[in-house]
Amino acid sequence: MRGDDFQQQVWALLDEIPFGETTTYGELAERLGDQTLAQQVGKAVGQNPLSIVVPCHRVVGKDGKLTGYAGGLKRKQFLLDLEEPATVKAGRLF
């Protein structure tokens, strides 16, 4: 994957998000050492050229809401639902 050093760092963090889990742009920025980088992290996430292989769909807004995804928010929700652990699904009423 081609990108600048910052993009490469963000994409490496995306690759570390476990299956069935999510994180936020702010949490990724904190892992890079500066929470104020959240918007730049979002831009780098959006420029991920391998969005299925490098799981950018696992990144959500700070309030847990879905935010941009190149494949559309419906597809992002589908992927998150697909990965949701059975124990979490069983605990939901709807």
Side-chain angles (χ1 to χ4, degrees):
M1 293 187 351
R2 294 182 185 182
D4 61 35
D5 289 341
F6 184 77
Q7 290 171 321
Q8 294 289 338
Q9 289 177 323
V10 171
W11 298 338
L13 290 177
L14 294 178
D15 209 28
E16 294 175 7
I17 304 169
F19 184 89
E21 294 184 22
T22 60
T23 192
T24 67
Y25 299 99
E27 289 169 347
L28 292 176
E30 282 182 28
R31 289 188 60 198
L32 292 171
D34 185 352
Q35 188 174 10
T36 65
L37 295 174
Q39 286 186 327
Q40 289 87 343
V41 166
K43 184 177 179 184
V45 169
Q47 294 170 336
N48 170 11
L50 297 173
S51 60
I52 293 296
V53 177
V54 180
C56 58
H57 65 278
R58 296 178 185 155
V59 184
V60 297
K62 70 178 179 177
D63 55 5
K65 291 187 179 179
L66 298 186
T67 57
Y69 181 65
L73 293 182
K74 286 183 181 181
R75 184 165 289 133
K76 184 173 186 169
Q77 185 63 62
F78 172 80
L79 291 168
L80 292 173
D81 290 344
L82 184 68
E83 294 182 2
E84 187 175 47
T87 55
V88 174
K89 285 181 187 179
R92 286 192 296 148
L93 295 175
F94 302 99

